[in-house]
Amino acid sequence: MQTEQATSDTPRQAAGIVHAVRGAVVDVVFPDADLPPIDSALVVEWHRPSPLILEVHSHLDRTTLRAVAFQSTSGLARGVSVRATGAPVAVPVGKAVLGRLLDVVGDPQDNGPALPENTPRRSIHALPPPLKSQTGAIDMFETGIKVIDLLTPMAQGGKAAMFGGAGVGKTVLVMELIRAMVEKYEGISVFAGIGERSREGHELLTEMQGSGVLERTVLVYGQMNEPPGARWRAALTALTISEHFRDQQHRNVLLLMDNVFRFVQAGAEVSSLLGRLPSRVGYQPTLATEVAGLQERIASVAGSAVTAIQAVYVPADDFTDPAVTTISSHMDCVIVLSRAQAAEGFYPAIDPLSSSSMLLDPLVVGEAHYRTAEAVRQALARFRELTDIISLLGIEELGAADRQIVRRARRLQRFLTQPFMVTEAFTGTPGASVPLADTLAGCRAILDGEADDWSERSLYMIGTFEDARRKEAEAKAAETSDAGAAA
């Protein structure tokens, strides 16, 4: 880890001493010098081989400041010397970090060689690009996942978030998007693992090594077992690396974050340790400012785009949670993962009625796409309205028109499921990536009644409509042969 050199007008700096340690928060006294500025880095000069970096967060009085540690403070005692750098933490950027796994301060954690000495570095704190230099997001970012491309299209250079409770498939969906996109996406990928479990980090690293996309990817981790300061700033480290590729090398960047709720959670922990009074539901009073500071830096400029895909944990499946509502207000595309969908075996478990995208407009995606998506949404909405009646009285009590809608909606539900490449080892079903044209053609065929007499099983967990046609033909051939054998 290095910090940017202090400029000539930086106030005079000197060594301080540790005054108090409260977990990840450290009070430092500078008795004979000006206090270092807010957000600047301090280096604890202790006897241990591992470095301990602090970041200044508040000035308590004329000689004492309060800082947040990026590494464990276990063993840190009062009286230890602290060196002020006068500048924020600066992390390595550029080609040298491609294919590497870094921590919050930019140190490699993949047992690989050290980064070259001449690797450029950039402060983790920066302002978003001016509004006049930003470009809008109107080009569709095709993912190959049917339900996303049809109902919640993503934007090239936009921000998309996947909201869901525990165990509904957020991380699997992110990993599938990484695999599907990086293979056909000519750009740089930066993955921020915020509060990730060690198992998930190891799985992702192994997956990327096996698929051969690691050389165009940077992994930044602030793991679950690390102090809240590391989890809080890991997103900024990944964003800083993305900004360098966007601004200096004019490359398109795919920025993936898993999980942004852990960023908010770490900020709440830091806020509590700093002694601030909590706000709604116990969150930090600076929640909106912190989320905006992160999200507004994710921007595209002329010639290069940063496309962000973020997983967001929803605590207790409460979509009115302040963290969830604050994050969603910054998104172009909101994908809601439903526990009810997962319970019925519909994967990806995306709720087609709660999810939305600003791109689903006939002026952007075209009239045919828009009309098909609206017809699918209307059929599924009507089916949901009739669900209670069907469960009480049975489908036979419905009118002919409603029975037809229910029949087609059930087939649309199953057609919008899809086997993933990252789950092949667990399900035994080969993964499928479906072009948008095939998705639209399949939905249109179901809405037109082509599959009314088919078994629903033929449309479940397949790729294109032609795959379903083959599956139905095979099933009917098997039934015919069984009937012949019985006779």
Side-chain angles (χ1 to χ4, degrees):
M1 195 288 301
Q2 293 182 5
T3 55
E4 293 180 341
Q5 295 297 319
T7 57
S8 57
D9 58 348
T10 301
R12 179 171 58 91
Q13 304 293 340
I17 57 171
V18 174
H19 177 66
V21 182
R22 298 179 186 87
V25 169
V26 181
D27 290 353
V28 182
V29 174
F30 287 81
D32 303 317
D34 297 330
L35 289 178
I38 301 294
D39 287 338
S40 64
L42 310 176
V43 180
V44 176
E45 298 180 325
W46 62 351
H47 62 282
R48 302 199 174 191
S50 57
L52 176 55
I53 311 300
L54 312 177
E55 186 178 70
V56 179
H57 278 278
S58 60
H59 294 168
L60 302 181
D61 54 43
R62 295 179 65 87
T63 60
T64 311
L65 59 81
R66 184 159 287 170
V68 174
F70 284 165
Q71 293 88 14
S72 173
T73 58
S74 177
L76 181 61
R78 296 179 64 185
V80 173
S81 179
V82 177
R83 174 170 53 85
T85 64
V89 170
V91 296
V93 293
K95 292 182 179 179
V97 299
L98 291 174
R100 304 303 301 271
L101 189 151
L102 309 175
D103 63 11
V104 66
V105 294
D107 292 335
Q109 300 295 321
D110 52 8
N111 297 322
L115 296 174
E117 289 292 328
N118 61 350
T119 303
R121 291 177 179 265
R122 185 167 173 155
S123 166
I124 65 171
H125 297 285
L127 294 173
L131 248 147
K132 62 181 180 181
S133 68
Q134 295 186 23
T135 57
I138 58 169
D139 294 329
M140 185 173 166
F141 196 82
E142 198 171 318
T143 66
I145 298 173
K146 290 182 288 190
V147 65
I148 292 178
D149 290 343
L150 174 70
L151 300 174
T152 59
M154 293 184 182
Q156 176 87 25
K159 293 191 279 279
M162 289 169 288
F163 295 89
V168 294
K170 294 183 301 299
T171 300
V172 170
L173 193 52
V174 167
M175 289 176 68
E176 180 68 12
L177 284 167
I178 292 171
R179 185 183 184 107
M181 290 182 181
V182 173
E183 290 178 353
K184 59 183 176 181
Y185 175 81
E186 291 303 320
I188 302 297
S189 296
V190 180
F191 179 84
I194 308 167
E196 285 280 87
R197 302 173 183 87
S198 299
R199 170 186 59 77
E200 292 172 339
H202 185 264
E203 283 178 3
L204 182 63
L205 182 61
T206 306
E207 178 75 28
M208 288 196 160
Q209 286 172 337
S211 59
V213 299
L214 189 61
E215 63 271 9
R216 286 192 286 122
T217 306
V218 186
L219 305 175
V220 179
Y221 274 91
Q223 291 186 161
M224 195 175 277
N225 62 329
E226 295 186 57
R231 289 179 269 125
W232 193 33
R233 293 307 194 202
L236 298 190
T237 300
L239 190 49
T240 300
I241 294 169
S242 303
E243 288 171 334
H244 174 82
F245 285 113
R246 179 195 69 194
D247 299 336
Q248 305 302 320
Q249 300 190 12
H250 307 291
R251 303 282 299 274
N252 289 335
V253 181
L254 177 62
L255 176 63
L256 301 118
M257 296 188 186
D258 188 7
N259 185 304
V260 180
F261 178 79
R262 305 293 179 202
F263 163 79
V264 173
Q265 197 174 43
E269 291 179 51
V270 169
S271 179
S272 177
L273 289 167
L274 291 173
R276 298 175 187 152
L277 287 173
S279 182
R280 288 188 302 158
V281 201
Y283 286 111
Q284 60 271 44
T286 54
L287 171 65
T289 307
E290 289 175 11
V291 171
L294 172 69
Q295 299 293 347
E296 293 307 303
R297 283 175 63 182
I298 304 172
S300 302
V301 298
S304 49
V306 175
T307 305
I309 298 172
Q310 308 170 29
V312 184
Y313 167 69
V314 179
D317 290 345
D318 179 12
F319 286 88
T320 64
D321 186 87
V324 174
T325 55
T326 303
I327 294 167
S328 64
S329 66
H330 292 272
M331 298 298 147
D332 305 315
C333 173
V334 173
I335 298 169
V336 176
L337 291 149
S338 160
R339 193 170 301 282
Q341 293 278 107
E344 292 184 43
F346 297 139
Y347 290 101
I350 295 171
D351 187 335
L353 303 181
S354 302
S355 304
S356 63
S357 171
M358 294 176 68
L359 257 68
L360 194 58
D361 185 290
L363 297 175
V364 179
V365 297
E367 193 70 33
H369 183 166
Y370 177 76
R371 287 184 180 280
T372 302
E374 283 301 295
V376 169
R377 204 186 292 273
Q378 287 171 11
L380 295 174
R382 182 60 179 157
F383 175 47
R384 185 170 293 183
E385 290 172 6
L386 296 169
T387 300
D388 289 341
I389 297 174
I390 294 169
S391 61
L392 288 172
L393 304 175
I395 194 169
E396 295 79 13
E397 297 300 316
L398 299 178
D402 281 342
R403 281 204 303 273
Q404 185 184 75
I405 288 173
V406 168
R407 188 182 305 115
R408 292 176 184 175
R410 287 177 62 89
R411 282 158 176 77
L412 283 169
Q413 273 186 326
R414 283 149 182 79
F415 178 66
L416 292 177
T417 61
Q418 188 168 341
F420 282 170
M421 297 177 190
V422 296
T423 58
E424 281 184 22
F426 308 104
T427 63
T429 304
S433 177
V434 183
L436 175 61
D438 290 345
T439 300
L440 294 175
C443 291
R444 195 73 259 169
I446 294 170
L447 289 167
D448 291 342
E450 283 191 38
D452 282 359
D453 298 327
W454 293 9
S455 165
E456 292 178 358
R457 216 173 313 130
S458 299
L459 293 152
Y460 179 69
M461 281 294 172
I462 47 91
T464 64
F465 191 72
E466 292 306 313
D467 293 339
R469 194 188 300 278
R470 283 194 295 272
K471 195 171 175 182
E472 176 69 12
E474 289 169 4
K476 286 185 176 177
E479 285 178 12
T480 304
S481 63
D482 289 345

